[in-house]
Amino acid sequence: MRMKNLVLISMILMLLILSFSGCVGEQTSQPKSDDTVSEPIEADAIVYIDSYEFHPYSTTIAPGDTVLWINNDSVAFIIKGNIVGGDSFQSPTLRKGDTFAYTFEKPGSYKYEIVTHPWTKGGFIVVE
């Protein structure tokens, strides 16, 4: 009698496990009410951050063009850039998967770097 109960309980548990196993992969994440849905950013150039480096290292754009930085590293970064005697920009903290966009209005050569990791190689944007 005891063995029959044990087999019956085992079968019921197996059926429950099998019936719920298909549901796990189908769950979707719904935005919370306080989450904001951001619009896609149209960029004229994209710079990826991988292995503490910018890819591409240098790019040339026109005045009014937007550059989008995408952090693909597992480390958080802050990007800061400037033009000699002129404009400067700085991103918020970019964690993995975060993006930052900046529109360059004035011509010139901009140098940018990772503020939180100053030993890393910076990048250049030339606005012609």
Side-chain angles (χ1 to χ4, degrees):
M1 175 86 168
R2 190 169 189 184
M3 185 67 159
K4 284 184 182 180
N5 286 339
L6 186 58
V7 170
L8 181 61
I9 291 173
S10 296
M11 289 177 61
I12 291 172
L13 285 173
M14 289 297 285
L15 285 173
L16 285 172
I17 290 170
L18 288 173
S19 66
F20 287 111
S21 67
C23 298
V24 174
E26 296 176 18
Q27 292 178 346
T28 58
S29 172
Q30 296 294 325
K32 298 178 208 160
S33 60
D34 60 345
D35 286 349
T36 57
V37 178
S38 61
E39 293 294 319
I41 298 170
E42 290 194 28
D44 301 289
I46 297 176
V47 177
Y48 296 93
I49 305 169
D50 282 311
S51 303
Y52 296 89
E53 293 182 359
F54 295 108
H55 303 279
Y57 171 72
S58 177
T59 188
T60 301
I61 59 172
D65 283 356
T66 299
V67 175
L68 178 69
W69 285 266
I70 301 173
N71 184 5
N72 288 335
D73 265 332
S74 59
V75 178
F77 297 112
I78 296 174
I79 300 167
K80 183 174 183 175
N82 57 38
I83 187 171
V84 177
D87 293 343
S88 66
F89 62 91
Q90 183 169 320
S91 73
T93 301
L94 303 176
R95 291 172 177 71
K96 182 173 180 131
D98 287 349
T99 62
F100 170 68
Y102 185 78
T103 301
F104 292 84
E105 300 296 339
K106 297 180 182 177
S109 294
Y110 291 78
K111 181 179 181 344
Y112 60 91
E113 61 191 5
I114 299 174
V115 176
T116 49
H117 296 84
W119 59 87
T120 58
K121 195 174 187 180
F124 287 96
I125 295 178
V126 178
V127 183
E128 299 182 326

